[in-house]
Amino acid sequence: MADSFNNACHYFESAADLLGLSANMRRLLQVPEREVKVQVALELDNGEIATYIGYRVQHDSSRGPMKGGLRYHPEVDAEEVLTLASLMTWKTAVVNLPYGGAKGGISVDPKQLSPGELERITRKFVDEIHDMVGPDKDIPAPDMGTNAQVMAWFANQYEKFYGFQPACVTGKPVELHGSEGREEATGRGVVLCAEAMMKKFGRDLQGVKVALQGFGNVGTFTASILHEKGAKVVAVSDVSGGILNPEGLDIPRLLEYARSNKGVKDFSGTDAIDNAALLAADVDILIPAALGGVLTAENADAVRAKYIVEAANNPTEAEADDVFRRKGIVVVPDILANAGGVTVSYFEWVQNRQHFRWDVNRVRDELGKVMLDGFDRVWTLAEEKKVSLRTAAYILGIGRVGRATVLGGI
Ligand code: GLU
């Protein structure tokens, strides 16, 4: 993702201008506290040795231990991890979790690895970074290409050094100190934001047409919760291709189909569409839920949706964001829209530290409170300052991090 950090900096700078932050303060808040790059050597099943590069960037700890996912993807590089770490700092602040921001990853395609190789690469990565993470320092979690199983291996390896420490990582399996409702949390948070936004326009989700890019963890839960609430998901795409049915897709059947066919392509009763057509679909809400940098200066004009809810991290380039603002398209930004995942990660960490389990209803209720409080604050700030929801979210996040930094002393 070329220039991803510049893009995030652009959003930061727009908000910093309105906050009247000095150049020194901007630098203090933007420069990461620590960036680590490690060699992750792996013995492949065929006996050969493969070498990968792993990263962990700790961006800011002024509001608490740093928090953020681990991404396994071939496009992971130092710049992308830094960008995503900074987004975690603003995200945890927007929804007011007592955390800072971090991110990590390995530049590897996990689909090319066997389960044994995936386990070994994860354990090796923990061996390389265990001294910089921990329940009171920096707590990893799932992100693209990682899941609850990877988190279970992570915790198990970490505990070989430090003994019982379930709070060292979140997004673990429910059977191994994970939280109910964590897997669905990002998708549920996205839908809560979509619903809160439609309410501001006097509508609910009933019959609202949605196009969804990405059908991984976030995309699938977003689709099924939208479907439950009566929205019509008409277009979906994933790496296999895109599908469209203007009458609305049968999401429960599509979920089964995508599981057994490893993708949504050729689902019966749909037309095949490409990525450009998905982004330009005739819908009310467009939800990018895959990689960053997908909405660009080239394709922004073609977007026909009235609303965009950013389930992915950093999906919108600054030029595209300008186009959306000019056209009056309302964008719920990533640092608010996809904060449901880290919010339930926080609940998992709290449960681990208290040795007390919450049931799924409690998790969902508390998630609803956090997301709606964040949404309302951002919405009100945007109205007061006459700025976009993105700028308002950055103002809220940067303000909180800035105050904590100054109060703590430098
Ligand atoms: N990877 C997710 C994100 O980008 C979740 C992070 C977490 O739970 O710490 O927000």
Side-chain angles (χ1 to χ4, degrees):
M1 200 203 308
D3 288 336
S4 67
F5 192 60
N6 279 343
N7 201 54
C9 286
H10 173 88
Y11 296 140
F12 173 94
E13 294 292 346
S14 315
D17 288 346
L18 291 164
L19 281 163
L21 286 192
S22 69
N24 286 343
M25 194 64 191
R26 289 176 198 222
R27 211 171 142 65
L28 179 65
L29 294 181
Q30 274 177 302
V31 173
E33 290 181 17
R34 177 145 72 147
E35 291 177 282
V36 168
K37 181 173 165 186
V38 295
Q39 180 196 68
V40 191
L42 167 71
E43 185 175 349
L44 298 171
D45 292 345
N46 66 10
E48 277 178 34
I49 304 291
T51 305
Y52 301 94
I53 306 292
Y55 303 87
R56 188 75 187 167
V57 175
Q58 298 179 326
H59 182 257
D60 191 280
S61 63
S62 57
R63 300 181 66 262
M66 293 169 279
K67 188 87 190 78
L70 278 185
R71 178 172 288 201
Y72 290 180
H73 192 275
E75 277 174 29
V76 164
D77 61 21
E79 184 189 337
E80 188 194 52
V81 180
L82 170 60
T83 307
L84 296 169
S86 72
L87 291 179
M88 288 308 302
T89 297
W90 316 128
K91 190 187 303 185
T92 52
V94 167
V95 286
N96 212 7
L97 306 177
Y99 284 142
K103 199 79 171 201
I106 305 178
S107 176
V108 63
D109 183 355
K111 288 193 215 79
Q112 305 295 323
L113 300 182
S114 69
E117 290 168 340
L118 201 55
E119 175 174 352
R120 291 199 294 283
I121 199 173
T122 301
R123 291 185 185 278
K124 191 65 199 285
F125 187 47
V126 177
D127 290 348
E128 302 299 336
I129 62 158
H130 69 84
D131 54 346
M132 67 183 290
V133 296
D136 288 314
K137 272 194 225 173
D138 175 1
I139 308 117
D143 196 83
M144 203 176 282
T146 60
N147 56 20
Q149 172 64 78
V150 173
M151 299 306 120
W153 291 323
F154 191 106
N156 184 271
Q157 191 68 11
Y158 185 85
E159 290 178 336
K160 288 184 179 161
F161 293 95
Y162 303 99
F164 182 65
Q165 294 283 353
C168 71
V169 66
T170 59
K172 300 177 295 293
V174 177
E175 301 84 347
L176 203 62
H177 306 284
S179 177
E180 295 287 347
R182 173 62 185 85
E183 237 191 325
E184 64 168 35
T186 310
R188 187 166 289 278
V190 167
V191 178
L192 284 166
C193 282
E195 202 171 26
M197 180 186 60
M198 294 315 293
K199 205 169 155 199
K200 295 285 182 193
F201 294 98
R203 291 181 68 176
D204 56 21
L205 287 173
Q206 202 65 40
V208 164
K209 284 189 174 184
V210 181
L212 184 63
Q213 185 196 44
F215 213 53
N217 167 279
V218 180
T220 50
F221 281 107
T222 300
S224 48
I225 300 167
L226 280 170
H227 184 78
E228 265 169 44
K229 290 186 182 263
K232 261 194 201 172
V233 181
V234 299
V236 169
S237 71
D238 64 10
V239 280
S240 71
I243 53 171
L244 170 80
N245 178 347
E247 299 311 313
L249 300 162
D250 181 342
I251 296 297
R253 268 191 52 229
L254 177 61
L255 287 168
E256 253 171 58
Y257 176 88
R259 242 190 315 271
S260 40
N261 294 277
K262 297 214 178 327
V264 298
K265 190 171 180 253
D266 295 334
F267 181 56
S268 63
T270 64
D271 294 328
I273 51 168
D274 64 9
N275 192 43
L278 179 119
L279 296 175
D282 183 14
V283 291
D284 300 294
I285 309 182
L286 171 64
I287 305 185
L291 277 173
V294 293
L295 291 163
T296 64
E298 287 74 47
N299 62 24
D301 264 319
V303 169
R304 282 192 283 169
K306 294 176 226 38
Y307 314 97
I308 296 173
V309 183
E310 294 182 343
N313 284 313
N314 211 21
T316 307
E317 290 187 351
E319 294 86 351
D321 207 45
D322 287 340
V323 172
F324 299 148
R325 205 169 35 243
R326 268 205 311 278
K327 288 173 67 178
I329 297 175
V330 180
V331 182
V332 186
D334 49 3
I335 56 172
L336 169 64
N338 72 31
V342 70
T343 300
V344 178
S345 274
Y346 167 58
F347 300 157
E348 180 175 327
W349 181 81
V350 166
Q351 293 171 69
N352 289 158
R353 308 203 80 173
Q354 296 191 332
H355 306 283
F356 183 76
R357 276 182 190 282
W358 299 4
D359 65 23
V360 71
N361 293 326
R362 177 161 180 198
V363 171
R364 287 178 183 166
D365 283 354
E366 300 280 348
L367 173 64
K369 280 187 222 159
V370 170
M371 293 302 297
L372 295 182
D373 179 67
F375 184 89
D376 280 336
R377 278 171 203 271
V378 169
W379 188 273
T380 307
L381 202 58
E383 279 190 334
E384 268 170 30
K385 304 234 179 251
K386 303 203 182 343
V387 294
S388 67
L389 294 176
R390 189 187 313 279
T391 302
Y394 271 86
I395 291 176
L396 182 62
I398 295 170
R400 282 178 171 155
V401 177
R403 280 192 296 282
T405 303
V406 172
L407 286 168
I410 292 150

